[in-house]
């Protein structure tokens, strides 16, 4: 089923998780900005090399470079029947650049969740230092506290998941990304989705919102 979607929501809202589930259900690829940026750099494409030069200098990759990489990826054959964008656009400027590049969407799915819930969710995340397996102190605890079920490695909290970092990321989201909701509502493509207590519950609400 051909459907072109954007996942929108605060960091930790579950965009990546829901994007992967929808990808399997709808049979369309998830396009994660981080992944395609890494792939473009690895493949040594001209846009990838340009992005690498900014990253090596410790600078943010400019919008036009990111949008160029996204547009190239969306031209590939596996995207012809639809796709899910996760992690882009992050700003009005990026959304306008996608419009200018002729990229169109059926729905912008905005996962609605409170800052308090995000903080609780992200500050409880842990990952295995050895194999990278994800855990959560409440939602998905390991059998033995602090120890990975899979390999016995130590579980650590990533710097990104510490409370002060989460609050800072939420502030950036509210200032730079949240205005996209009004932008997309004005185009008639915004589809708000209330976060549910379980991953399955949120997926169900999304499928209903898409009329599936």
């Amino acid at each position: 089923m051909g459907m072109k979607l954007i996942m929108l929501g605060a960091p930790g809202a579950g965009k990546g998780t829901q994007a992967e589930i929808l990808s399997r259900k709808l049979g369309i690829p998830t396009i994660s900005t981080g992944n395609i940026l890494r792939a473009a750099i690895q493949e040594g494409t001209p846009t990838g090399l340009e992005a690498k030069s900014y990253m090596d200098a410790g600078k943010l990759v400019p919008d036009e470079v990111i949008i160029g990489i996204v547009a190239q990826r969306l031209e590939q054959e596996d995207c012809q029947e639809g796709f899910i964008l996760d992690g882009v656009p992050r700003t009005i400027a990026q959304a306008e650049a996608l419009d200018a590049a002729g990229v169109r969407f059926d729905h912008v799915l905005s996962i609605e969740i409170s800052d308090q819930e995000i903080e609780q969710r992200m500050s409880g995340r842990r990952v295995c230092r050895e194999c990278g397996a994800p855990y959560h102190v409440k939602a998905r605890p390991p059998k033995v506290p602090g120890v990975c079920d899979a390999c016995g490695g130590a579980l650590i909290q990533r710097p990104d998941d510490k409370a002060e970092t989460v609050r800072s990321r939420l502030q950036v989201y509210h200032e730079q990304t949240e205005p996209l909701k009004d932008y997309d509502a004005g185009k008639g493509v915004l589809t708000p989705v209330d976060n549910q207590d379980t991953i399955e519950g949120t997926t169900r609400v999304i499928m209903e919102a898409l009329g599936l």
Side-chain angles (χ1 to χ4, degrees):
M1 165 173 224
M3 199 170 273
K4 297 174 180 178
L5 309 171
I6 290 179
M7 302 301 295
L8 190 62
K15 300 183 297 295
T17 300
Q18 294 299 333
E20 290 304 327
I21 293 169
L22 288 173
S23 172
R24 290 194 299 270
K25 283 182 177 289
L26 303 177
I28 54 178
T30 294
I31 313 298
S32 155
T33 324
N35 289 348
I36 57 173
L37 203 53
R38 282 188 288 274
I41 290 167
Q42 204 169 359
E43 289 162 17
T45 68
T47 328
L49 292 172
E50 191 178 351
K52 187 175 186 299
S53 69
Y54 286 101
M55 291 161 77
D56 287 348
K59 296 178 182 172
L60 285 174
V61 181
D63 285 350
E64 61 268 22
V65 178
I66 288 179
I67 298 306
I69 288 174
V70 170
Q72 282 173 7
R73 176 67 183 87
L74 296 182
E75 285 170 6
Q76 292 179 18
E77 197 173 334
D78 64 338
C79 292
Q80 299 315 299
E81 295 300 315
F83 52 80
I84 303 164
L85 270 188
D86 174 21
V88 69
R90 285 183 190 270
T91 61
I92 298 280
Q94 288 185 358
E96 289 172 343
L98 280 174
D99 285 344
V103 180
R104 299 289 175 262
F105 305 96
D106 300 310
H107 295 273
V108 175
L109 292 164
S110 174
I111 300 178
E112 304 297 328
I113 182 170
S114 71
D115 284 9
Q116 185 184 1
E117 212 170 331
I118 292 280
E119 283 192 42
Q120 287 172 351
R121 180 182 287 185
M122 293 182 76
S123 61
R125 284 179 175 178
R126 299 291 184 271
V127 294
C128 174
R129 190 197 299 273
E130 304 303 325
C131 72
Y135 294 88
H136 191 279
V137 292
K138 287 184 181 171
R140 192 184 177 185
K143 294 189 181 91
V144 178
V147 179
C148 176
D149 295 347
C151 74
L155 301 187
I156 58 168
Q157 184 181 42
R158 295 181 311 183
D160 266 8
D161 292 334
K162 292 188 172 162
E164 60 272 23
T165 311
V166 172
R167 280 193 282 271
S168 166
R169 290 174 69 196
L170 283 169
Q171 186 179 349
V172 171
Y173 167 76
H174 291 309
E175 287 172 3
Q176 297 183 8
T177 306
E178 200 165 32
L180 282 167
K181 292 203 283 193
D182 286 340
Y183 180 83
D184 292 319
K187 293 179 6 185
V189 292
L190 184 72
T191 304
V193 174
D194 286 328
N195 179 67
Q196 305 297 306
D197 291 339
T198 63
I199 290 171
E200 296 78 14
T202 303
T203 303
R204 188 177 64 253
V205 174
I206 288 174
M207 296 298 278
E208 287 168 3
L210 296 175
L212 300 172

